[in-house]
Amino acid sequence: MRVGSRHDSLEGVRLLVVEDELRLGAALKRGLTAEGMVVDLSTDGPGGLEAARHGGYDAMVLDVMLPGMSGYNVVRTLRTEANWVPVLMLSAKDGEYDQADGLDYGADDYLTKPFSFVVLLARLRALARRNLPARPAILTSGNISLDPATHEVAVAGTPAGLTPREYALLEYFLRHPGRVVSKIKLLDNVWDATEDTDPNAVEVYVGYLRRKVGREVLRTVRGAGYRLGP
Ligand code: CA
């Protein structure tokens, strides 16, 4: 955690990226994760809307042209549901008309592709500053606690000594409590999209994680995936 620059840091900011261009989505996830953000990626409109509804994100980067439902409709739907997550829209369109559209529908900011990563970071800082909590909340389940600001994980008050991958896996489960999470979903969100992975890798890491946090913490849901216990 960078000390003293809390408000200009993106450390611990939870971001949802909705982008169907896989290469761009993966690059954004990688780059923004490197800035300390906790990034989830959705690749279509309906999936992005669902994630935004339930994910408790600090901010959202939303492409306009998406399969299933446009970014305009995603943000409009969220606003009609009184979900005020700050939204930065991305689009290949660059007409003033389109920009006005996005803002009319309830987006907070707008960036035209292609854009510079540095500019994106600056815009995200500005968005996140608006309603960034002083410190991200500590995630807990049973006797497990995970601090997104310091990446410390404790089981019954004792440090769990997780590797970065185990940490990311546990954090994903803690942020989706009670949900059955498929191996594919875990590969999409915890593993880098450019890594060569297969679902067996998920089983292996869930096994590692169980040894450190307790076997009963992650339930196997036969044929569907895993769920954070009890
Ligand atoms: Ca698109």
Side-chain angles (χ1 to χ4, degrees), residues 110-190:
Y110 199 100
L111 208 50
T112 305
K113 294 177 188 174
F115 54 86
S116 123
F117 188 69
V118 174
V119 171
L120 174 67
L121 286 179
R123 300 284 191 88
L124 285 175
R125 279 194 195 94
L127 271 193
R129 249 196 307 270
R130 288 192 204 167
N131 65 355
L132 188 65
R135 175 191 176 85
I138 290 174
L139 304 173
T140 61
S141 174
N143 63 0
I144 297 171
S145 67
L146 179 151
D147 186 340
T150 61
H151 285 209
E152 284 164 354
V153 175
V155 179
T158 305
L162 302 188
T163 64
R165 179 82 75 204
E166 292 159 0
Y167 173 89
L169 198 53
L170 179 62
E171 182 179 30
Y172 191 84
F173 279 110
L174 288 170
R175 290 194 187 280
H176 300 85
R179 300 255 296 272
V180 177
V181 183
S182 70
K183 290 178 190 174
I184 297 299
K185 192 89 185 160
L186 290 168
L187 279 178
D188 282 353
N189 287 284
V190 178

Side-chain angles (χ1 to χ4, degrees), residues 18-21 24 43 63-67 90-92 113:
V18 190
E19 171 57 72
D20 61 315
E21 288 170 47
L24 176 59
T43 55
D63 189 29
V64 169
M65 304 299 281
L66 289 167
L90 295 181
S91 177
K113 294 177 188 174

Side-chain angles (χ1 to χ4, degrees), residues 39-59:
V39 183
D40 285 341
L41 183 60
S42 287
T43 55
D44 61 43
L49 176 62
E50 201 53 23
R53 279 173 171 156
H54 303 294
Y57 294 99
D58 299 312

Side-chain angles (χ1 to χ4, degrees), residues 74-102:
V74 171
V75 72
R76 190 177 53 185
T77 303
L78 287 172
R79 298 315 186 223
T80 60
E81 294 172 356
N83 182 324
W84 308 111
V85 59
V87 173
L88 172 71
M89 297 205 78
L90 295 181
S91 177
K93 296 178 174 181
D94 57 0
E96 281 175 282
Y97 182 75
D98 299 315
Q99 184 160 346
D101 269 357

